[in-house]
Amino acid sequence: MPESINHPRRHMVLGAGAALAGSILPLSAFAADPLKVGLIVPMSGPFASTGRQINAAVKLYQQKYGDSVAGRKVEILLKDDGGIAPDVTKRLAQELVSRDKVQALMGFGLTPLALAAAPIATQGKVPMIVTAAATSIIPQRSPFIVRTGFTLAQVTAPLAAWAARNKIKSVVTFVSDYGPGLDAEKVFVKNFTEAGGKVLDSLRAPLRNPDYAPFLQRVKDAKPEALFVFVPSGEGAAVLKQFTDRGLAAAGIRLICTGDVLDDDLMASIGSAALGVVSSHHYSAAHPSAANKEYVDAIAKMNNGMRANFHSVGAYDGMHLLYEALKQTKGDSDGEKLLAVMKGMSWDSVRGPVSIDAATRDIVQTVYIRRAEQRGSEVYNIEFDQVDKFKDPGV
Ligand code: PHB
């Protein structure tokens, strides 16, 4: 009977196939499988410069280090979330994880957008590398979040200490009225008053469609020795314009700010209004190292002369973190395994030495105090003081 002859043979063939499938096939399929990364950033709207900078850095990283690592091709799926609607960011993250099967999420230009996507990372068990959004609480919202940018608390505390040390006695604080601004305000007030300074007033402007003029008029009337400002990247030129137009500098009020206000991407439009302004941040395009010069030149060359800013560096380091983690897992993109090796990782960034705090998954780095100075025909933030290995102090 044909059946009785065929059955054993079929079993043998199936058996061999099953053995193959159990060993060689999944391995080769695994190695050939591209690793998809969902990059969600604002490429349009008021914060489009953030997306442009991040996308440029991701492209440069892959051009320099290749588009595969540990046998996996790394495919970037770029999504524009427009930068203002958390529900849009959340939907994009959901689609990327459940439909496109991305194995990592990256980007996140603003705090509310990062917070909206956090539950998706938790549900999908995918690493979520936050390269831009900078409110302290963000990594606490998912055990899969790792941050390669910075926090406002981290850069503000050293500036408050610097101001007090440098005989500034009275300050008005002025921030954008949302997560990072509230963190900056709280940390500045705490550190400055503890060091003996006096905060005369704390003003907050709306994030959406702000009109800075009335706020700066109030600052002028309060007559502080200095004004401390945080506004998110992209907004600094408008604040500097009102600071000048309202005659605050002429009235003897000093401006001090986080580096977001004197964002390298905006320095050409701010121009001489920035001269002499002291700020604190984790990155300046003028950071004096050979690696940084090479980085700034490469970003400019690939992007019509664009000056690299801190968002680009956050993304460049986000790519480094992902590539190095994949090397350590030998190409295994299991979220928990990637997180395990990302925790505690350290490397030399173009901004200086950095590490990922194993307990908080937040970045530890040097915070620099800088002064805006003319260099040739341009204005740069020139670093002149620093605090090394500085962790997010929280709020
Ligand atoms: C944020 O929304 O967390 C944010 C955005 C831009 C900045 C800083 C913080 O420059």
Side-chain angles (χ1 to χ4, degrees):
M1 303 281 284
E3 284 87 354
S4 63
I5 297 165
N6 282 343
H7 268 151
R9 267 197 73 206
R10 207 185 283 148
H11 275 147
M12 263 182 62
V13 172
L14 272 178
L20 266 176
S23 57
I24 301 160
L25 276 182
L27 199 67
S28 59
F30 165 79
D33 242 9
L35 176 111
K36 295 187 196 167
V37 179
L39 181 64
I40 310 179
V41 287
M43 295 298 293
S44 58
F47 304 103
S49 79
T50 302
R52 234 184 15 248
Q53 288 272 348
I54 291 173
N55 193 33
V58 168
K59 286 211 165 108
L60 175 63
Y61 192 91
Q62 290 207 304
Q63 191 192 71
K64 189 160 176 188
Y65 295 101
D67 63 0
S68 43
V69 60
R72 305 284 303 269
K73 190 163 187 331
V74 178
E75 249 177 57
I76 307 292
L77 276 63
L78 174 66
K79 300 286 170 184
D80 171 16
D81 67 5
I84 47 173
D87 54 324
V88 171
T89 308
K90 184 170 186 178
R91 178 176 54 75
L92 290 171
Q94 179 81 66
E95 286 171 5
L96 283 163
V97 170
S98 51
R99 191 190 63 201
D100 301 317
K101 309 280 182 243
V102 301
Q103 283 148 320
L105 291 167
M106 194 177 331
F108 305 100
L110 287 97
T111 290
L113 313 178
L115 295 178
I120 309 296
T122 307
Q123 282 156 26
K125 294 189 177 357
V126 295
M128 171 170 160
I129 302 172
V130 174
T131 72
T135 300
S136 287
I137 199 168
I138 291 171
Q140 294 172 36
R141 292 296 178 88
S142 169
F144 287 88
I145 292 179
V146 184
R147 177 155 38 201
T148 56
F150 73 112
T151 78
L152 262 304
Q154 188 175 42
V155 298
T156 299
L159 183 65
W162 179 87
R165 267 200 323 276
N166 285 275
K167 304 194 174 29
I168 294 176
K169 299 256 177 334
S170 62
V171 165
V172 169
T173 65
F174 178 45
V175 300
S176 292
D177 191 6
Y178 78 120
L182 303 185
D183 280 7
E185 178 192 286
K186 200 162 171 187
V187 168
F188 191 92
V189 170
K190 177 173 184 288
N191 286 270
F192 188 62
T193 50
E194 277 176 9
K198 203 166 169 204
V199 175
L200 305 182
D201 205 353
S202 287
L203 309 177
R204 301 171 183 175
L207 176 63
R208 300 284 295 274
N209 307 316
D211 173 8
Y212 297 117
F215 292 100
L216 291 187
Q217 188 57 48
R218 277 176 65 188
V219 175
K220 192 177 177 192
D221 297 343
K223 297 188 172 53
E225 286 178 32
L227 169 65
F228 165 74
V229 178
F230 160 78
V231 289
S233 50
E235 288 294 310
V239 174
L240 263 294
K241 183 171 182 331
Q242 287 304 325
F243 189 83
T244 311
D245 286 0
R246 305 257 136 202
L248 276 80
I253 299 170
R254 283 185 71 171
L255 176 63
I256 56 175
C257 56
T258 67
D260 311 78
V261 181
L262 298 187
D263 173 359
D264 276 298
D265 200 18
L266 277 187
M267 284 304 264
S269 55
I270 296 175
S272 61
L275 286 173
V277 174
V278 169
S279 61
S280 60
H281 231 206
H282 54 296
Y283 179 70
S284 164
H287 178 64
S289 73
N292 184 51
K293 183 167 180 355
E294 193 189 311
Y295 178 73
V296 171
D297 289 348
I299 288 282
K301 199 166 158 209
M302 277 177 76
N303 301 279
N304 282 323
M306 180 172 88
R307 195 196 283 185
N309 78 356
F310 61 102
H311 288 314
S312 83
V313 172
Y316 200 66
D317 284 330
M319 289 295 282
H320 176 88
L321 179 71
L322 182 64
Y323 269 49
E324 291 306 309
L326 279 163
K327 282 182 197 166
Q328 289 190 29
T329 62
K330 303 197 169 25
D332 189 339
S333 49
D334 174 81
E336 271 155 10
K337 288 181 189 157
L338 285 175
L339 255 295
V341 295
M342 285 173 173
K343 290 178 191 171
M345 198 183 280
S346 59
W347 66 97
D348 281 322
S349 162
V350 297
R351 64 184 110 170
V354 299
S355 63
I356 301 297
D357 186 304
T360 62
R361 289 165 276 108
D362 226 330
I363 191 159
V364 182
Q365 59 190 332
T366 309
V367 176
Y368 304 90
I369 310 288
R370 315 95 51 86
R371 187 177 288 105
E373 294 177 13
Q374 191 89 32
R375 287 287 185 275
S377 60
E378 295 179 71
V379 181
Y380 279 93
N381 297 301
I382 306 298
E383 296 162 354
F384 65 89
D385 200 358
Q386 67 190 61
V387 187
D388 294 332
K389 293 191 177 136
F390 197 62
K391 286 187 188 193
D392 169 48
V395 285

Coordinates of all heavy atoms in Angstrom, one line a residue, residues 50 109-112 132-135 138 150 152 178 180 230-233 260 310-311, ligand 1:
T50 N 13.8 70.7 15.9 CA 14.2 69.5 16.8 C 14.2 68.2 15.9 O 15.2 67.5 16.0 CB 13.2 69.3 17.9 OG1 13.2 70.5 18.7 CG2 13.6 68.2 18.8
G109 N 10.3 64.8 20.9 CA 10.8 66.2 21.0 C 10.4 67.0 22.2 O 11.1 67.9 22.6
L110 N 9.2 66.6 22.8 CA 8.7 67.4 23.9 C 8.2 66.5 25.0 O 7.6 65.4 24.7 CB 7.6 68.4 23.5 CG 8.1 69.6 22.7 CD1 8.0 69.4 21.2 CD2 7.5 70.9 23.1
T111 N 8.2 67.0 26.2 CA 7.8 66.2 27.3 C 6.4 65.5 27.2 O 6.3 64.3 27.4 CB 7.9 67.0 28.6 OG1 9.3 67.2 28.9 CG2 7.3 66.3 29.8
P112 N 5.4 66.3 26.9 CA 4.0 65.7 26.9 C 3.9 64.6 25.9 O 3.2 63.6 26.0 CB 3.1 66.9 26.4 CG 3.9 68.1 26.7 CD 5.3 67.8 26.6
A132 N 15.4 63.9 23.4 CA 15.2 65.3 23.5 C 14.4 65.8 24.7 O 14.9 66.6 25.5 CB 14.5 65.8 22.2
A133 N 13.2 65.2 24.9 CA 12.3 65.7 26.0 C 13.1 65.6 27.4 O 13.8 64.6 27.6 CB 11.1 64.8 26.1
A134 N 12.9 66.6 28.2 CA 13.9 66.8 29.3 C 13.3 67.1 30.7 O 13.9 67.6 31.6 CB 14.8 67.9 28.9
T135 N 12.1 66.6 30.9 CA 11.5 66.7 32.3 C 12.0 65.6 33.1 O 12.0 64.4 32.6 CB 10.0 66.7 32.2 OG1 9.6 67.9 31.4 CG2 9.3 66.9 33.6
I138 N 10.3 61.7 33.3 CA 10.1 60.9 32.1 C 10.5 59.4 32.3 O 9.7 58.5 32.1 CB 10.6 61.5 30.8 CG1 9.8 62.8 30.5 CG2 10.6 60.5 29.7 CD1 10.4 63.6 29.4
F150 N 19.2 65.1 28.2 CA 19.5 65.8 29.4 C 18.3 66.1 30.2 O 17.2 65.7 29.8 CB 20.2 67.1 29.1 CG 19.3 68.2 28.6 CD1 19.0 69.3 29.3 CD2 18.6 68.0 27.3 CE1 18.1 70.3 28.8 CE2 17.7 69.0 26.8 CZ 17.5 70.1 27.6
L152 N 16.3 69.3 32.5 CA 16.3 70.7 32.9 C 16.9 70.9 34.3 O 17.7 71.8 34.6 CB 15.0 71.4 32.8 CG 14.7 72.2 31.5 CD1 15.8 73.2 31.3 CD2 14.8 71.2 30.3
Y178 N 5.1 74.5 31.4 CA 4.9 73.0 31.3 C 6.1 72.3 31.8 O 7.0 72.9 32.3 CB 4.6 72.6 29.8 CG 5.7 72.5 28.9 CD1 6.0 71.3 28.2 CD2 6.6 73.6 28.6 CE1 7.0 71.1 27.3 CE2 7.6 73.4 27.7 CZ 7.9 72.2 27.1 OH 8.9 72.0 26.2
P180 N 9.2 70.8 31.6 CA 10.6 71.2 31.8 C 10.8 72.6 32.4 O 11.7 72.9 33.1 CB 11.2 71.2 30.3 CG 10.0 71.2 29.4 CD 8.8 70.6 30.2
F230 N 14.1 79.8 30.9 CA 14.0 78.6 30.1 C 12.8 78.7 29.2 O 11.7 78.9 29.6 CB 13.8 77.3 31.0 CG 13.3 76.2 30.1 CD1 14.2 75.5 29.2 CD2 12.0 75.9 30.0 CE1 13.7 74.5 28.4 CE2 11.5 74.9 29.2 CZ 12.4 74.2 28.4
V231 N 13.1 78.5 27.9 CA 12.0 78.2 26.9 C 12.6 77.1 26.0 O 13.8 77.0 25.9 CB 11.7 79.5 26.0 CG1 10.9 80.5 26.8 CG2 12.9 80.1 25.3
P232 N 11.7 76.3 25.5 CA 12.2 75.2 24.7 C 12.9 75.6 23.4 O 12.6 76.7 22.9 CB 11.0 74.3 24.4 CG 9.8 75.3 24.5 CD 10.2 76.3 25.5
S233 N 13.8 74.8 22.9 CA 14.5 75.1 21.7 C 13.6 75.6 20.6 O 12.5 75.0 20.4 CB 15.3 73.9 21.2 OG 14.4 72.8 21.1
D260 N 19.0 75.9 26.1 CA 17.9 75.8 25.2 C 17.6 77.2 24.5 O 17.1 77.2 23.4 CB 16.6 75.3 25.9 CG 16.9 74.1 26.8 OD1 17.5 74.3 27.9 OD2 16.6 73.0 26.4
F310 N 22.1 70.6 20.6 CA 22.1 69.6 21.6 C 21.1 68.4 21.3 O 21.3 67.3 21.7 CB 21.7 70.2 23.0 CG 20.4 70.9 23.0 CD1 19.3 70.3 23.7 CD2 20.2 72.2 22.5 CE1 18.1 70.9 23.7 CE2 19.0 72.8 22.6 CZ 17.9 72.2 23.2
H311 N 20.0 68.7 20.5 CA 19.1 67.7 20.1 C 19.8 66.7 19.2 O 19.5 65.5 19.3 CB 17.8 68.2 19.5 CG 16.9 68.9 20.4 ND1 16.6 68.4 21.6 CD2 16.3 70.1 20.3 CE1 15.8 69.2 22.3 NE2 15.6 70.3 21.5
Ligands
PHB1 C1 10.7 69.2 26.6 O1 9.5 69.4 26.2 O2 11.0 68.4 27.4 C2 11.8 70.1 26.0 C3 11.7 70.5 24.7 C4 12.8 71.4 24.2 C5 13.8 71.7 25.1 C6 13.8 71.3 26.4 C7 12.8 70.5 26.9 O3 14.8 72.6 24.6

